Each structure stands twice: as structure tokens, then as C-alpha cells.
Amino acid sequence: MNRWLVKSEPSAYSWQEFLEDGRAFWDGVRNYQARNNLRAMKLADPVLFYHSNEGHEVAGVAEVVKEAYRDPTSESAEWVAVDIKPVRTLSNTVSLANIRENPRLQNIALIRQSRLSVMPVTEDEFDAILEMSESQSGK
DNA sequence: GCCAACGTTGGC
DNA sequence: GCCAACGTTGGC
């Protein structure tokens, strides 16, 4: 099983909207590296949902419910979409600033490749983010 | 609003 | 095939 992180601008599609929808088509990706990551997603892989541009935070955990298929929003067959559904909302969001401060997350693609919108996350990185969410009881 | 990072395009 | 110009993303 692999773990992933996807970015969304809250003004375009927020975690809250995703919760209300109960499922989302992850389409519109037009970057080869991101597409390759979409193609590698398997059913039930966990996916962190990150708010870019505004918020700068991981808001929740989703999972893959449909593996890559041709992106209906593109005329070209080279682009793909996946479907994901919300699994749980983090008890506390984990901010980019906090991620930067965590020694376990120094190599996370979110920091190293800030423009990539779909990226793999290691098991340790995934666990570290969930632990940070649980431990920030006062914030 | 600015700027760094980086992907894409097009001239040569 | 190289590289400059340009566009986009996303943090600050």
C-alpha cells in the first residue's frame, strides 16, 4: 500500500466541500509527474488532503475509491483522474509551518517539491503528520 | 503583491 | 539538443 498527498486550493475545492460531497473526482491534473502518481494509486490507498494557497494545512485523510481512468475533462487520452472519498477529518489541522519544523518531515515532497500537486508520502511521514494532529491538543 | 521554483515552449 | 523567455504554482 502506498500513501499520498493531494493539494487543493480551498477557494476551488475545500475539505469541507469534500465532506459534504462524500466523494470527489480528482481530475484536471496536467503535470506528468503528478499524473504518474495518480496512475500509481491503488484502491484504499490513504490520501492526505492539503489546503494550498490559503490555509497551508493538512485538513483530513481520504482514500482512493476508484483507480485511474481517463480524465473526462481532457480531450487527450494521456491525462487521468481518480476518485477519492473522505475517511476522517483531522482533530487538528497540521500546518505547513509545523511540518517544516518536524525533523521526521524534512524530506517530504511537500517541502522539497512545493509545486507538485499529487505526491507520494512515506509511511513514516504519514504517521508523523497524524501524530502531530493528535498532539496539538491546545491549539 | 512579490518572488522563487520549475515546467513548457520555441528559436537557433 | 541547448537555452532563453514565459507561464503557473504556491509560500510569504
Side-chain angles (χ1 to χ4, degrees), chain A residues 5-10 13 15 26 47-60 94-97 99 110 114 119:
Chain A
L5 182 148
V6 297
K7 290 181 180 175
S8 182
E9 298 187 23
Y13 194 68
W15 175 257
W26 216 255
V47 180
L48 297 173
F49 191 109
Y50 175 81
H51 282 156
S52 64
N53 262 314
E54 300 164 42
H56 310 149
E57 64 197 5
V58 178
V94 178
S95 72
L96 180 64
I99 287 172
L110 184 68
S114 63
M119 65 192 77

Side-chain angles (χ1 to χ4, degrees), chain A residues 26-44:
Chain A
W26 216 255
D27 57 18
V29 171
R30 297 292 182 269
N31 169 285
Y32 290 105
Q33 202 177 345
R35 181 206 61 188
N36 292 342
N37 291 332
L38 284 181
R39 281 184 175 164
M41 288 185 182
K42 296 299 176 193
L43 273 182

Side-chain angles (χ1 to χ4, degrees), chain A residues 4 20 31 39 55 59 66 91 108 120 131 136:
Chain A
W4 310 93
E20 289 163 9
N31 169 285
R39 281 184 175 164
K66 184 175 180 181
S91 36
I108 193 169
E131 287 167 23
Q136 291 174 3

Side-chain angles (χ1 to χ4, degrees), chain A residues 36-124:
Chain A
N36 292 342
N37 291 332
L38 284 181
R39 281 184 175 164
M41 288 185 182
K42 296 299 176 193
L43 273 182
D45 277 358
V47 180
L48 297 173
F49 191 109
Y50 175 81
H51 282 156
S52 64
N53 262 314
E54 300 164 42
H56 310 149
E57 64 197 5
V58 178
V61 182
E63 75 175 30
V64 177
V65 289
K66 184 175 180 181
E67 295 178 10
Y69 55 97
R70 182 172 169 171
D71 186 345
T73 67
S74 171
E75 292 176 14
S76 165
E78 66 181 336
W79 303 114
V80 299
V82 301
D83 292 358
I84 61 177
K85 73 169 187 191
V87 174
R88 69 185 186 93
T89 302
L90 294 188
S91 36
N92 300 284
T93 61
V94 178
S95 72
L96 180 64
N98 288 147
I99 287 172
R100 284 187 190 280
E101 288 167 4
N102 189 327
R104 288 166 69 188
L105 298 172
Q106 289 310 295
N107 289 321
I108 193 169
L110 184 68
I111 297 173
R112 292 167 63 101
Q113 259 187 293
S114 63
R115 289 181 52 201
L116 189 60
S117 59
V118 181
M119 65 192 77
V121 174
T122 68
E123 183 173 5
D124 187 58

